[in-house]
Amino acid sequence: MCKTLEDIKRKKIDIEKCQQQMSDLDRYGSDLQTYFGLRKITDRTNTFDQYIQTLDDDGSLNRVTISCKIDSKISKFVEKVASLGTIQVQKVPSQLIMERSKDKQAQLVDVRNKSINAIKLKLVHTIKLYADVTGCCFLPDGKIVLCDRSVKNLVQILNQHCILIFEVSMSPYFAFDVTCIDDKTVAVSSDNPNQTQINIIDVETRARRSITAADKCYGITHKDGSLMVCVEGKGVQNVNIQNGKNTSLIPCDLGSCCYIVTSDTKLYYTNTKKHTVTCCDKRGNIIWTFKDENVLQDPRGIAVDNVGNVYTVSYSQHALIVLSADGQHSRHLLSKDNGLVNPFAVAYDKIQNRICVVNYKDKGFLFDVTI
C-alpha cells in the first residue's frame, strides 16, 4: 500500500505540473501554442486516467489479510507431521468507487443532443483506394488508418491530407478492421479461418505482435485496455490486450462483416444478418435496437460523434445513415449520387469533427461535420 501511495503521489505531482502548464498557456501562450500545448496535456491526462482505473482493475487497492493455522501435532512433527501449517491469503475487494468526469458527461448526452436534421457534411478530400478496403480509423493526430483485405493484406497509414505515408504488411493474416489503442498503436482484426489472430501494430516502428483469437474476428474496437470484437455466430467478445484471454460479452447471432464501436459508457454494433444497429451499456445490456429495412439494409461500419449520434453505412443501399442518440430517428446523409458504391467502413474523428467513409473499392471520402 505504501508503494501504491508513493506512485499516486508521483502522479499527483505530474498532474499539478499539467495544471500549471495549462495556467501558463492561458496567461501567456498564443492561440497556436495553446492548441498544441493542450493536445500534449490531453494525451498525458488520458494516461493518468488509465492509471487510476488500473489501480482498481489490477487489485492494487485490495486489502490483503494473511492468517496462519498451526498444526496441533507440532510437538510430534518429526514422526507424524508432513507440514508445519497452512497459510491462506484472502483478497478483499476494495470498497472505493471510481468516478470519472467523462462518465458524468455521458449522462448529459441527451441534454446536449441536437436534431440530426441539422447535421451538414462538407467534402474535404477524396481518397483513392487501390484494393478491397474493409476497415478504417483515425489516430489522435488526424492520420487515417485503412485495412486493405486484398491479396496484398496491408495496413495503410495516410496523413491528414489523405496521402499515403507508408504501409505495413499483414501477411499471412487478413486485415479486416482496425481500431486505435493510443497515439501510436492500433489493433487489427483478421477473419482468416486458418489464422485467427489480432495484430497489435506500432505505427511508428511498424513492429507488430499477435494475439490468438477464439474465432474469425470482424469489427474491432478498444476501450480501457481491452479489445471488443464481433465474432460470426457467437456475438461480441472481450479480448485482453496483454494475455489474449477471450470472454463472451454479448452472446448473440451475428452475421459476417459486423462492426462495433464504443463511446463513453456505451457500445454499438451492427448485425448484417438481421439488418440492425444495437446500443448497449458496458455490461452488454441492450438499451435500444434500430431496425427498419426501408431505411437500413446490410449495415457495415459504425461510428459515433461527440453528442451520441450514430453513423453507419448500408452496403447494398449505397448510403450513409445517421441515427439519433436514442435510436428513434434516422436520416440518409449520403447516397450513390455522392459517390458511395458498396460502402464498407466509417470512422469519426471527435477532435476535428470529421468523418471518413470508405467504399469497398475505388474511393473513400473525408468530410467536415457540422452538428
Side-chain angles (χ1 to χ4, degrees):
M1 184 56 73
C2 289
K3 183 179 183 301
T4 300
L5 288 174
E6 290 175 359
D7 290 340
I8 292 174
K9 287 178 181 178
R10 284 195 291 269
K11 295 294 182 182
K12 178 175 179 291
I13 293 172
D14 288 340
I15 293 173
E16 289 173 346
K17 289 180 180 178
C18 286
Q19 292 175 327
Q20 183 60 48
Q21 289 174 2
M22 290 178 64
S23 177
D24 292 342
L25 286 171
D26 184 55
R27 290 184 179 181
Y28 312 114
S30 65
D31 289 346
L32 187 61
Q33 289 173 327
T34 301
Y35 173 78
F36 286 107
L38 289 179
R39 288 288 295 272
K40 292 182 179 179
I41 292 173
T42 299
D43 290 340
R44 292 181 64 188
T45 55
N46 286 338
T47 302
F48 299 148
D49 182 67
Q50 293 174 5
Y51 169 77
I52 293 297
Q53 188 62 40
T54 300
L55 290 177
D56 188 50
D57 293 342
D58 66 10
S60 296
L61 301 178
N62 291 345
R63 179 166 52 88
V64 179
T65 60
I66 301 176
S67 60
C68 178
K69 182 179 179 181
I70 304 299
D71 197 306
S72 61
K73 300 177 181 179
I74 192 68
S75 61
K76 299 180 180 180
F77 73 92
V78 176
E79 299 177 359
K80 298 182 179 181
V81 179
S83 66
L84 295 180
T86 60
I87 295 177
Q88 295 181 338
V89 177
Q90 180 183 13
K91 291 188 176 181
V92 180
S94 169
Q95 299 301 311
L96 181 64
I97 298 175
M98 311 298 285
E99 186 178 70
R100 297 180 292 178
S101 59
K102 67 179 181 180
D103 292 335
K104 294 180 181 178
Q105 293 169 2
Q107 299 173 6
L108 301 177
V109 167
D110 291 338
V111 177
R112 296 184 291 114
N113 190 29
K114 299 180 181 179
S115 170
I116 57 176
N117 293 322
I119 296 175
K120 295 181 181 179
L121 302 183
K122 179 182 178 182
L123 181 63
V124 179
H125 294 292
T126 299
I127 307 169
K128 174 63 178 177
L129 305 178
Y130 299 97
D132 306 337
V133 176
T134 54
C136 69
C137 76
F138 283 97
L139 295 178
D141 60 2
K143 292 187 181 71
I144 300 172
V145 185
L146 300 178
C147 283
D148 169 4
R149 194 181 174 279
S150 68
V151 292
K152 293 183 178 180
N153 285 327
L154 299 172
V155 169
Q156 301 173 322
I157 288 79
L158 284 61
N159 65 18
Q160 294 186 12
H161 304 291
C162 300
I163 298 173
L164 180 65
I165 304 174
F166 62 87
E167 299 173 328
V168 179
S169 173
M170 295 299 296
S171 183
Y173 312 110
F174 290 164
F176 186 85
D177 193 22
V178 59
T179 185
C180 175
I181 295 176
D182 54 39
D183 57 352
K184 65 175 183 178
T185 313
V186 297
V188 180
S189 63
S190 171
D191 64 326
N192 186 340
N194 300 318
Q195 298 284 350
T196 54
Q197 304 281 345
I198 295 173
N199 285 277
I200 311 297
I201 300 175
D202 187 315
V203 296
E204 291 184 352
T205 65
R206 310 185 195 184
R208 81 180 191 193
R209 65 181 179 89
S210 298
I211 299 174
T212 300
D215 213 324
K216 293 190 295 183
C217 297
Y218 290 99
I220 186 169
T221 190
H222 171 261
K223 182 71 172 178
D224 296 334
S226 293
L227 298 171
M228 283 160 277
V229 295
C230 292
V231 180
E232 183 179 5
K234 294 184 178 180
V236 178
Q237 295 189 350
N238 193 62
V239 181
N240 186 289
I241 292 179
Q242 300 303 322
N243 57 28
K245 182 179 179 181
N246 288 251
T247 55
S248 178
L249 181 61
I250 307 173
C252 60
D253 185 17
L254 290 182
S256 62
C257 301
C258 296
Y259 287 77
I260 186 170
V261 68
T262 60
S263 181
D264 294 322
T265 60
K266 297 176 183 176
L267 60 90
Y268 309 78
Y269 61 91
T270 60
N271 191 333
T272 56
K273 192 173 184 179
K274 298 183 178 180
H275 309 289
T276 58
V277 173
T278 300
C279 171
C280 300
D281 63 22
K282 60 183 179 181
R283 298 183 183 276
N285 301 309
I286 294 177
I287 299 173
W288 55 259
T289 296
F290 179 88
K291 180 177 176 63
D292 185 343
E293 293 186 35
N294 293 321
V295 175
L296 177 63
Q297 294 180 23
D298 200 12
R300 299 295 170 98
I302 189 168
V304 182
D305 65 21
N306 288 302
V307 295
N309 298 319
V310 182
Y311 303 79
T312 186
V313 288
S314 170
Y315 180 81
S316 56
Q317 295 171 309
H318 317 291
L320 172 69
I321 297 99
V322 60
L323 307 177
S324 59
D326 58 5
Q328 298 299 309
H329 306 283
S330 64
R331 178 188 166 202
H332 276 67
L333 291 176
L334 299 173
S335 66
K336 205 168 186 177
D337 294 337
N338 304 108
L340 297 195
V341 179
N342 300 130
F344 225 91
V346 59
Y348 196 94
D349 183 347
K350 292 186 177 182
I351 298 175
Q352 300 188 60
N353 275 320
R354 286 186 166 185
I355 191 169
C356 181
V357 185
V358 181
N359 291 333
Y360 186 56
K361 294 179 182 292
D362 189 36
K363 291 180 181 179
F365 306 93
L366 181 65
F367 296 90
D368 279 334
V369 183
T370 303
I371 301 175

